[in-house]
Amino acid sequence: MQSVVIVLVGILGMLFGWFVYSKFIAEKIFKMDDDFVTPAHEINDGVDYVPTNKVVLWGHHFTSVAGAAPIVGPAIAVYWGWVPAVLWVVLGTIFFAGVHDMGALWASARHKGKSMGALSETVIGKRTRALFMVVVFLVLLMVNAVFGVVIANSFVANPSAVFPAWSAIAVALVIGFLLKRNVPMMPLVAIGVAVLYATIYMGSSMPLALPSEMLGLSDKANWILILFVYAAVASLLPVWMLLQPRDFINGMQLLVGLVLLYGAVFVVMPDITAPAFNTETVANTPSIIPLLFVTIACGAVSGFHGIVSSGTSSKQLNKETDGRFVGYLGAVGEGSLALITLVAVSGVMLAVTPEQWHEIYSHLGAGSVGAFITGGSNMIQAGWGIPSEVSSTLLAVMVVLFAGTTMDSGVRLQRYIIQEWGEIYNIPVLKSGITATLVAVACCLLLAFGAGGASGSGGMIIWPLFGSTNQLLASLTLLVISVYLIKLGRPAKYTLIPMSFVLVMAFFAGVIKLSEYYEKGNWLLVGLDVIVLVVSVLVMLEAWSVIVKHKSEQQDSEAERAN
C-alpha cells in the first residue's frame, strides 16, 4: 500500500509542475512566442534542421535524454533510503530538470540552434565558449563510450533483447519513409508499437547471440564495434529517416511500459520493504550529501539534457511555444520513469522482507538495473498476468532501446560540436559531416579500446567522473540561461537558485571524488577531475564579470537618462 502513496504524491507533484509551474516559466519568464521563426524554419536543410510535430519531437527528445540513467541512478541511490530519493526525483523534476531542459531549448532556438557551448560565447564571452565545450565534449565522450558497453553487456546478458532491439531500427526506417510521404501518423504509430511488442514476444523465445570469440575479440567487444558503426551511419542520416521515428516509437513503447508498471502498482498495491532512511549502510559508504544529487541525475536534473536540448531538439522545433511541451514534459517523463524505478527496487516485488532487501542491496552500487528488471517484471506479472520471461524481456529491451537512442543522439551531438569547432577555428576538414562523424567515433573507440584493451570497456575507466561532471555541466547550462535572462531584463532567480544548489552539490562531490582518486593513485582521473573543477570555476568567474559589467552599464544608462 505504501507504494501507492509514493506514486500518488509523485504524480500530483509533477501535474503541478506541468500545469502550473512550467506555464508560468514559459509565459512570464521565457516569454515564448508563436510568431518567432525557429531555426527549423529559418535554416531547414532537410537533414538536421527540420520542422517537426511537437509530439514526434517530444518522443525524440525524451528517449534521447533518458537513456538508462533514470533507471540506473535511482536504482543505486535507493541504498541511502527511498524517502530522500523520492523527494529529489519529484522536486528535482518540477523545479530543476523541467526549467533546465526547457530553458536550454528556448535559449538555443533564440540563437539559430547553437549548442550550449557555442551559445556561451554569445551570452558570456569567447573564453567561456572554449572552456564550456571542453566539458561538453568530455561528457559526450563518457556517455557514448560507456553506453556502448552498457548495450553490449545487455545483449550478452539478455540475448532475448537482441532481436527486438534491432527490429526497432527496421520499423523506424519504414515509418520514417511513410511519414515523409504524408501517410497519417497515428495508424503508423499504432502498427509500429504493435510490431515492436510482437518482436519482444518473439525475442523472449528466440534469443540471439554472437560467438563468444570472433576475429580475436570477445562477443562484447564485437557488439561495441557493431554499435559504433551503426551509430556513425545513423548520425549522418536525415533526422526524419531514422532518429525521429525510432525515438518516437521508443517513446510510445516507454509509455506502454509505464502504464503497465504504474497500473500494476494500483492493482497489486505492494508494500515497501526498503528503509525510508538506511541506517545500516556498510563502512566507508559515501555521504548522502552531496552524492545523492550526482547519483540521481536524469530523473532530477542532468547536464546531458542541455546538450540534447541545444543540440538536436532546438533544430527541430516547429514553434517556440512547443518548447514547453518538448522540454518540460520530457523532464516529467524522465521523472515518472525514475519514480516507478524507485517503487520497483524498493518493494516486496524485489524483496519480501527488509532483511532480503538488505541482502540484495549489500552496498552502494548493488542492485541497479538488475533490481529494476527483477522488481518491475514481478510487478507486471502480478498485476497483469504477463509471464515473467516476457515482462523481463520487455524491460530489458526498454533499457537497451533507451541506451541506444542516447548513443545515436550522442554521436550526432559530438559531430555537431566537431563541426562547430571547424567553423569557429576555420578548419575546413572538420566542417564535413562525414569527417566530423569519423573523428567522433574514432575518439570513442580510442577510449574504449585504447584505455580498455581488447574488452572495449575503456569508457568505464573515466565513468566515475560522470556524476559530478554531468551535474557541473547542468549548473553551467543554468548559468548561461540566467545570464541571458539578466541581459534581457527578466527575473533570473528561477534559474539562478537551481543553478546555485546544483553547483554546490556537484562541486562538493567533485572535490570528494578528487581526494578518493588521489588516495588510490589514479592520476588520470585526478587530472581530468582537476580540469573539470577549474574550468567550472573559470566559467563562473567569467559569467560573474559579465553580470557585474551589465549591471554597471544599466546603472550608468539610468543615471544618464535621469540627468
Side-chain angles (χ1 to χ4, degrees):
M1 185 64 181
Q2 293 166 306
S3 58
V4 175
V5 176
I6 294 172
V7 165
L8 287 176
V9 170
I11 290 175
L12 288 174
M14 292 180 198
L15 286 174
F16 163 78
W18 168 244
F19 286 106
V20 180
Y21 195 66
S22 71
K23 186 176 181 181
F24 166 74
I25 297 294
E27 294 180 357
K28 304 300 181 182
I29 307 302
F30 296 154
K31 297 184 179 179
M32 292 181 167
D33 182 5
D34 265 346
D35 294 328
F36 176 76
V37 179
T38 63
H41 288 281
E42 183 180 357
I43 299 173
N44 198 356
D45 62 3
V47 178
D48 298 317
Y49 294 82
V50 178
T52 304
N53 176 282
K54 68 179 181 181
V55 179
V56 175
L57 183 55
W58 172 86
H60 153 69
H61 179 82
F62 175 34
T63 54
S64 293
V65 299
I71 296 171
V72 175
I76 291 175
V78 73
Y79 180 72
W80 284 297
W82 63 263
V83 168
V86 167
L87 287 175
W88 176 229
V89 164
V90 176
L91 295 177
T93 296
I94 298 169
F95 299 108
F96 291 72
V99 176
H100 171 278
D101 296 12
M102 178 170 61
L105 188 56
W106 163 73
S108 175
R110 282 278 166 171
H111 293 84
K112 299 186 183 297
K114 287 183 179 179
S115 70
M116 290 309 301
L119 178 58
S120 64
E121 176 186 0
T122 305
V123 176
I124 301 176
K126 285 187 176 180
R127 285 178 296 187
T128 302
R129 175 199 68 202
L131 296 169
F132 204 109
M133 292 182 84
V134 168
V135 180
V136 171
F137 191 82
L138 183 59
V139 167
L140 286 173
L141 187 63
M142 291 181 195
V143 168
N144 292 336
V146 170
F147 272 44
V149 177
V150 169
I151 300 169
N153 285 340
S154 296
F155 281 161
V156 173
N158 302 283
S160 60
V162 173
F163 179 70
W166 290 102
S167 296
I169 298 170
V171 171
L173 286 168
V174 171
I175 290 177
F177 177 82
L178 294 175
L179 284 175
K180 193 67 174 176
R181 279 146 187 81
N182 298 318
V183 176
M185 181 176 69
M186 293 315 297
L188 287 178
V189 170
I191 294 171
V193 172
V195 170
L196 179 59
Y197 274 91
T199 64
I200 289 173
Y201 179 79
M202 294 168 63
S204 64
S205 58
M206 188 178 64
L208 300 175
L210 291 177
S212 58
E213 185 176 340
M214 186 172 64
L215 302 176
L217 295 173
S218 66
D219 48 358
K220 185 178 78 171
N222 278 304
W223 274 127
I224 291 171
L225 287 173
I226 292 169
L227 287 164
F228 272 109
V229 169
Y230 158 74
V233 174
S235 73
L236 289 168
L237 294 176
V239 291
W240 60 264
M241 185 179 291
L242 177 60
L243 188 73
Q244 288 178 353
R246 179 185 175 182
D247 290 359
F248 186 61
I249 287 294
N250 288 349
M252 295 301 102
Q253 182 251 160
L254 172 68
L255 285 179
V256 174
L258 287 176
V259 168
L260 291 175
L261 288 167
Y262 276 96
V265 170
F266 288 100
V267 172
V268 181
M269 295 189 178
D271 286 327
I272 299 299
T273 53
F277 297 91
N278 191 0
T279 58
E280 300 178 28
T281 57
V282 298
N284 300 320
T285 298
S287 170
I288 186 173
I289 297 175
L291 270 298
L292 172 72
F293 303 102
V294 299
T295 302
I296 300 180
C298 298
V301 64
S302 168
F304 180 71
H305 293 197
I307 304 176
V308 175
S309 292
S310 65
T312 56
S313 300
S314 64
K315 296 175 175 62
Q316 302 170 59
L317 202 61
N318 184 40
K319 295 189 297 184
E320 187 176 60
T321 50
D322 290 349
R324 175 175 169 244
F325 187 93
V326 175
Y328 199 95
L329 201 57
V332 168
E334 286 239 325
S336 302
L337 178 56
L339 185 66
I340 200 64
T341 295
L342 287 170
V343 172
V345 300
S346 301
V348 296
M349 294 302 164
L350 175 66
V352 176
T353 66
E355 291 75 21
Q356 290 176 332
W357 187 90
H358 280 288
E359 287 178 11
I360 295 171
Y361 276 89
S362 58
H363 60 276
L364 184 66
S368 194
V369 174
F372 166 73
I373 292 175
T374 301
S377 62
N378 287 341
M379 279 203 319
I380 292 174
Q381 183 183 23
W384 300 93
I386 298 174
S388 60
E389 297 82 3
V390 177
S391 56
S392 59
T393 297
L394 185 153
L395 295 180
V397 170
M398 181 188 296
V399 173
V400 168
L401 290 181
F402 270 20
T405 53
T406 299
M407 190 177 173
D408 287 1
S409 296
V411 172
R412 186 179 288 263
L413 289 164
Q414 268 190 301
R415 189 248 293 175
Y416 289 163
I417 287 176
I418 292 168
Q419 287 182 291
E420 283 182 347
W421 281 339
E423 294 287 345
I424 292 167
Y425 300 109
N426 195 25
I427 306 174
V429 67
L430 293 183
K431 297 178 184 180
S432 163
I434 294 175
T435 303
T437 299
L438 291 175
V439 171
V441 171
C443 289
C444 294
L445 291 176
L446 183 63
L447 173 60
F449 290 94
S455 70
S457 301
M460 293 299 184
I461 294 173
I462 65 171
W463 184 248
L465 276 175
F466 178 77
S468 56
T469 303
N470 182 53
Q471 298 305 73
L472 282 169
L473 179 58
S475 66
L476 296 181
T477 299
L478 286 166
L479 177 66
V480 172
I481 298 168
S482 299
V483 175
Y484 182 45
L485 286 171
I486 290 169
K487 286 187 170 182
L488 292 174
R490 298 178 192 172
K493 62 183 178 181
Y494 304 99
T495 50
L496 278 175
I497 293 173
M499 182 275 293
S500 302
F501 180 83
V502 175
L503 173 65
V504 170
M505 293 298 121
F507 196 86
F508 186 16
V511 172
I512 291 174
K513 288 294 183 182
L514 181 62
S515 65
E516 290 180 11
Y517 305 146
Y518 180 80
E519 289 174 3
K520 293 177 181 178
N522 193 329
W523 303 115
L524 173 62
L525 292 183
V526 167
L528 290 175
D529 201 355
V530 168
I531 290 171
V532 170
L533 292 174
V534 170
V535 164
S536 300
V537 171
L538 292 175
V539 171
M540 292 291 166
L541 292 174
E542 286 283 328
W544 178 250
S545 68
V546 169
I547 293 172
V548 170
K549 182 180 178 182
H550 177 74
K551 292 291 186 182
S552 176
E553 290 174 349
Q554 272 190 324
Q555 291 172 355
D556 291 343
S557 177
E558 289 171 2
E560 287 179 7
R561 285 198 298 268
N563 293 330

